[in-house]
Structures are given as C-alpha cells and as structure tokens.
C-alpha cells in the first residue's frame, strides 16, 4: 500500500468497525507508506490477540506512524486491547520528517497487555509511540532502538495532558539518545513493579526520561543503565515526583 495499512484496514469512523477481533494471525513482510505497515484498526472495542508481527514497515517522505500497527483514533469512541502478541524486527522510516513507533502508534484508550517487543526501530519510540492516554501491562521490550528518543516507548512531546501507566513490564537492552528505554511526557506518568536492565542513552535518562506534572515510580528495579550526560537510570522534570520502594544498582 502506498498510503496506509499494508494488510488490513478498517474504516476511520469508529462505530462502523466496532467489536473487531483479530486472533492467532501472523503478519510478516507487509509494508505501507505513512501508517500501519500491516494492520490499521480504527474501530470501537477492538481486540488483537495472540498475533505475531514480524518485519513489517512504513516508509514515507514526511512523518510516518506504526511500522506494524496503528490502532485507535483520537476520539472518545475508540478503545481496544492488544494482548499476547509478539512484535519483532518492525521499523518506521521517514525520508524528510519523523518516524513514530517502529512496532506501533497508539491512539486513544488503547491497552497493551502481555506483549513482547523485540528489535523494533523508529525515530521516536523504537517499539511504541503514544499519541493519547493508555496503559502497558506485563509487556517485555528487548533490543529496541530510537534514533531520537524513547528506545522502546515514547510519548509525543506535544502531548502535555495525557496519562500513561506502565505496570509489571521489563525493558532490557534498549537504546536512544534521550530515554534509553522510555521518553515520557504528559500529565500523570506512573511506573510500577517494572524492571530496567542494560538500557543506554547517549544523552539523558539511561532507562527513563520523564517530563510530566505528576510522576510516580514504585517497586521498580534499575540495573546497569547508562546515560552519557545526566540520569544514568532516570532523568525527571516533574512538579510532583514520588519514587518509593525501588532499587538502583
């Protein structure tokens, strides 16, 4: 596809594609132009479960989004879940702009649960870029990289009012100039019971770089993360920050 959704695309009006279920499917070597290398799911109450996304990509002259998937739209009617999926070797490339989300771009109200992300690449968010509030739960990120920020996960810098919760996740061997594993911004950012090992930032935030109003990090472990300038494990710019019951090794 020259524009979007290399394999599967739903209508942009959320209610016309509601209750879509995609289960136990494999998407490999699909490509598109500006968005959704394999799967563009824009409907209400969708479920993507037990699927594998391998070596899909987007490549476009200007900004592009979601090497493998782009899910949800920016309305209150688009909510869904991706669960038990694997994303590997997906990438997003922009010739003259910014590429977002090597594996996927996340829109309003989308949750990723029990997914694995391996060796995905983009400018922002090697694996995922969030453009709206959402959550990550029990996900694993290995060897993802970003050319600018958020080796595994990023939030678009213009998103100043959104919330993101990261719970029971593992981030190993991810890299970026800013936020080796995650570069997050917004209103409320929470990290709970998560593990960050051997992540690298050439500038700030070896594991995590956060710019948000309220920041909470609890019951999490940071081991052998490196930043060349500041924040070997965590770099924070926040008005209200709470870090508790965590270890930094």
């Amino acid at each position: 596809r020259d524009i979007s959704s290399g394999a599967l695309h739903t209508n942009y009006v959320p209610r016309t594609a509601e209750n879509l279920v995609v289960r136990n499917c494999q998407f490999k070597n699909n490509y598109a132009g500006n968005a959704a290398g394999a799967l563009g799911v824009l409907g209400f109450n969708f479920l993507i479960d037990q699927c594998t996304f391998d070596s899909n990509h987007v490549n476009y002259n200007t900004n592009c989004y979601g090497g493998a998937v782009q899910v949800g739209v920016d309305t209150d009617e688009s909510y869904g879940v991706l669960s038990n999926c694997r994303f590997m070797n997906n990438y997003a490339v922009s010739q003259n702009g910014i590429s977002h989300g090597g594996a996927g771009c996340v829109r309003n109200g989308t949750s990723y649960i029990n997914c694995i992300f391996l060796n995905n690449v983009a400018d922002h968010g090697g694996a995922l870029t969030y453009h709206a509030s959402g959550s990550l739960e029990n996900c694993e990120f290995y060897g993802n990289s970003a050319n600018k920020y958020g080796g595994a996960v990023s939030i678009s810098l213009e998103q100043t009012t959104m919330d993101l919760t990261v719970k029971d996740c593992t981030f190993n061997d991810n890299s970026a100039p800013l936020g080796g594993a995650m570069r997050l911004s917004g209103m409320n950012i929470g990290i709970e019971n998560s593990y960050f090992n051997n992540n690298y930032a050439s500038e700030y935030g070896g594991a995590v770089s956060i710019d948000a109003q309220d920041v909470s990090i609890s019951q999490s472990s940071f081991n052998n993360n490196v930043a060349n300038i500041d924040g070997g494990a965590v770099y924070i710019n926040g008005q209200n920050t709470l870090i508790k019951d965590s270890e930094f090794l």
Side-chain angles (χ1 to χ4, degrees):
R1 287 286 300 266
D2 290 335
I3 302 299
S4 66
S5 305
L8 174 63
H9 178 79
T10 68
N11 194 289
Y12 278 100
V13 180
R15 290 289 178 178
T16 66
E18 60 183 318
N19 302 319
L20 173 71
V21 176
V22 180
R23 177 174 283 124
N24 197 29
C25 293
Q26 182 179 23
F27 298 85
K28 186 172 184 178
N29 295 325
N30 299 283
Y31 70 93
N34 74 331
L39 184 63
V41 174
L42 311 171
F44 173 76
N45 194 35
F46 61 84
L47 173 64
I48 314 300
D49 184 54
Q50 300 179 58
C51 292
T52 298
F53 298 86
D54 185 0
S55 302
N56 305 283
H57 74 275
V58 292
N59 190 324
Y60 205 59
N61 184 51
T62 57
N63 293 349
C64 57
Y65 308 87
V69 303
Q70 179 161 264
V71 292
V73 293
D74 294 331
T75 74
D76 291 338
E77 292 188 320
S78 179
Y79 289 89
V81 174
L82 290 93
S83 59
N84 307 303
C85 293
R86 294 175 58 89
F87 298 83
M88 62 194 77
N89 306 313
N90 303 287
Y91 60 96
V93 175
S94 173
Q95 305 301 323
N96 298 293
I98 300 295
S99 64
H100 302 255
C105 274
V106 188
R107 302 291 175 172
N108 199 56
T110 301
S111 297
Y112 279 79
I113 302 172
N114 197 34
C115 293
I116 296 175
F117 300 84
L118 175 67
N119 296 334
N120 303 284
V121 181
D123 291 331
H124 293 179
L128 296 175
T129 294
Y130 277 78
H131 295 269
S133 296
S135 65
L136 277 171
E137 185 173 346
N138 197 34
C139 292
E140 301 175 21
F141 298 82
Y142 302 103
N144 303 283
S145 61
N147 298 319
K148 297 184 181 295
Y149 63 72
V153 178
S154 75
I155 293 176
S156 293
L157 290 176
E158 67 271 16
Q159 302 294 338
T160 59
T161 61
M162 63 170 285
D163 304 333
L164 179 65
T165 300
V166 179
K167 183 177 181 181
D168 300 326
C169 292
T170 298
F171 299 83
N172 291 353
D173 302 303
N174 304 285
S175 62
L178 182 61
M182 296 195 295
R183 167 63 177 91
L184 308 177
S185 61
M187 185 66 70
N188 301 290
I189 301 297
I191 299 172
E192 180 182 346
N193 195 37
S194 294
Y195 300 86
F196 299 82
N197 304 296
N198 303 312
N199 301 287
Y200 170 72
S202 59
E203 297 178 14
Y204 300 92
V208 184
S209 176
I210 302 176
D211 187 348
Q213 179 170 313
D214 296 311
V215 179
S216 174
I217 299 175
S218 63
Q219 298 176 316
S220 294
S221 174
F222 298 82
N223 181 40
N224 199 35
N225 302 285
V226 175
N228 284 353
I229 300 179
D230 285 328
V234 180
Y235 183 88
I236 295 177
N237 179 17
Q239 295 182 16
N240 304 294
T241 299
L242 173 63
I243 301 174
K244 67 176 183 178
D245 303 325
S246 297
E247 60 181 11
F248 297 82
L249 304 172

